[in-house]
């Protein structure tokens, strides 16, 4: 049974993304931001850290715990500032740890220092809400259904006009 259980657990892990991903290159980071901006709409939470930083070591298990809580609503990654100095410079990381929050591939917010579990959870909630608000997709069918419920007499051409105006806002 032990071998069967081990195989089952390993097969399950093959399809799931890691709770916290360690970034190994600027190219990997750029691809990750682009993927989540264009495909998933998930915000990305980045922990810029160093192994020699005491507050970074203190925040590491907290970061993993919060990442597990938000696994289906955000992507959590770690960037070792010693291994990836180009990313540290690009995002103007001046002290450690620095947590940066990205929506649609762009930095939306940052928090610096050992902000604790409650602080990190609040920041993650905020960025998830922001991403949800910014990633609303309005379809013509949904708008037609809405107007069918609230104003059944509204002509389809008027609903299409409203839809076109909404589309131009993006």
């Amino acid at each position: 049974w032990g071998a069967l259980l081990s195989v089952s657990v390993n097969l399950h892990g093959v399809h799931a993304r890691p709770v916290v991903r360690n970034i190994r290159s600027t190219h990997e980071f750029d691809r990750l931001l682009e993927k989540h901006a264009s495909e998933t709409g998930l915000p990305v939470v980045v922990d810029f850290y160093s192994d020699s930083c005491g507050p970074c070591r203190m925040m590491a298990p907290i970061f993993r715990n919060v990442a597990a809580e938000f696994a289906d609503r955000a992507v959590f990654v770690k960037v070792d500032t010693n291994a990836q100095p180009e990313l540290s410079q690009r995002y103007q990381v001046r002290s450690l740890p620095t947590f940066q929050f990205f929506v649609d591939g762009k930095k939306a917010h940052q928090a610096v220092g050992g902000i604790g579990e409650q602080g990190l959870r609040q920041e993650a909630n905020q960025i998830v809400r922001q991403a949800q608000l910014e990633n609303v997709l309005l379809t013509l069918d949904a708008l037609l259904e809405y107007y069918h419920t609230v104003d059944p007499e509204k002509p389809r051409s008027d609903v299409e006009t409203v839809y076109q105006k909404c589309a131009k806002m993006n």
Side-chain angles (χ1 to χ4, degrees), residues 122-136:
Q122 286 174 337
E123 298 286 352
N125 266 320
Q126 179 182 342
I127 203 68
V128 165
R129 280 193 305 274
Q130 181 179 340
Q132 289 170 340
L133 289 172
E134 291 183 17
N135 288 313
V136 173

Side-chain angles (χ1 to χ4, degrees), residues 62-75:
I62 293 170
F63 191 76
R64 279 192 303 276
N65 290 343
V66 173
E69 286 178 38
F70 286 83
D72 59 339
R73 296 176 287 160
V75 176

Side-chain angles (χ1 to χ4, degrees), residues 56-85:
C56 298
R57 290 192 306 273
M58 177 198 76
M59 286 298 298
I62 293 170
F63 191 76
R64 279 192 303 276
N65 290 343
V66 173
E69 286 178 38
F70 286 83
D72 59 339
R73 296 176 287 160
V75 176
F76 284 71
V77 301
K78 291 179 75 72
V79 174
D80 181 344
T81 57
N82 295 319
Q84 302 303 323

Side-chain angles (χ1 to χ4, degrees), residues 119-149:
L120 184 58
R121 187 176 289 112
Q122 286 174 337
E123 298 286 352
N125 266 320
Q126 179 182 342
I127 203 68
V128 165
R129 280 193 305 274
Q130 181 179 340
Q132 289 170 340
L133 289 172
E134 291 183 17
N135 288 313
V136 173
L137 177 63
L138 177 65
T139 64
L140 178 58
D141 289 339
L143 198 58
L144 287 166
E145 184 177 324
Y146 170 78
Y147 276 109
H148 178 72
T149 304

Side-chain angles (χ1 to χ4, degrees), residues 26-125:
T26 56
H27 179 69
E28 178 185 10
F29 186 76
D30 293 341
R31 279 191 5 241
L32 179 121
L33 286 181
E34 173 58 31
K35 174 186 176 176
H36 292 291
S38 63
E39 294 177 24
T40 70
L42 293 174
V44 177
V45 179
V46 184
D47 175 6
F48 287 93
Y49 76 99
S50 170
D51 288 330
S52 62
C53 162
C56 298
R57 290 192 306 273
M58 177 198 76
M59 286 298 298
I62 293 170
F63 191 76
R64 279 192 303 276
N65 290 343
V66 173
E69 286 178 38
F70 286 83
D72 59 339
R73 296 176 287 160
V75 176
F76 284 71
V77 301
K78 291 179 75 72
V79 174
D80 181 344
T81 57
N82 295 319
Q84 302 303 323
E86 183 181 328
L87 287 173
S88 302
Q89 291 171 354
R90 182 192 304 173
Y91 293 103
Q92 301 175 348
V93 174
R94 303 281 182 251
S95 61
L96 298 177
T98 292
F99 301 95
Q100 293 189 353
F101 303 84
F102 292 78
V103 175
D104 198 26
K106 298 176 204 78
K107 185 171 89 170
H109 182 66
Q110 91 172 12
V112 178
I115 61 175
E117 189 164 353
Q118 183 177 353
L120 184 58
R121 187 176 289 112
Q122 286 174 337
E123 298 286 352
N125 266 320

